[in-house]
Amino acid sequence: MDSIMELGLNSTDILREAAMAFINGDTEDAMEVLDRRLVMRGKSLEVIKSIYGSGLHVDVGGRLMMIVESIRRVSEYSYDIAELTLDTYG
């Protein structure tokens, strides 16, 4: 659960950074958001592997996987915002 919470907090930080980069027209911050993409993907995969290997009941594991997928999508939307910032202000 701690790793899912950490993943969620990282995802919200990335979203906040991407939105502020767009609002401020800051392409450097947008690039920093994009640079965090691989790290977040790696962390997401680690969490997914830990859920699969946890021996949790299928219902619980499935719900946790849905949460991780939602967190991953928020991160992906953040990357889209960062790319839009680069396209708009770069």
Side-chain angles (χ1 to χ4, degrees):
M1 293 309 265
D2 289 338
S3 58
I4 294 174
M5 289 291 293
E6 181 182 339
L7 192 66
L9 291 172
N10 285 337
S11 183
T12 57
D13 285 344
I14 291 171
L15 177 60
R16 185 179 311 109
E17 289 176 26
M20 292 307 296
F22 182 79
I23 290 168
N24 296 325
D26 191 334
T27 56
E28 288 182 27
D29 282 350
M31 285 301 298
E32 288 179 22
V33 168
L34 292 174
D35 289 342
R36 293 175 67 181
R37 182 182 296 199
L38 292 177
V39 174
M40 280 298 288
R41 281 191 184 150
K43 287 181 181 181
S44 295
L45 288 174
E46 287 176 18
V47 172
I48 289 169
K49 287 178 185 177
S50 69
I51 292 171
Y52 277 128
S54 67
L56 291 170
H57 190 274
V58 174
D59 289 341
V60 175
R63 289 183 181 122
L64 290 175
M65 292 297 287
M66 289 173 55
I67 291 169
V68 172
E69 177 61 20
S70 295
I71 291 170
R72 189 197 60 76
R73 284 198 329 254
V74 169
S75 296
E76 291 294 326
Y77 297 145
S78 302
Y79 307 138
D80 290 344
I81 293 169
E83 288 174 352
L84 181 62
T85 301
L86 293 174
D87 290 345
T88 303
Y89 300 105

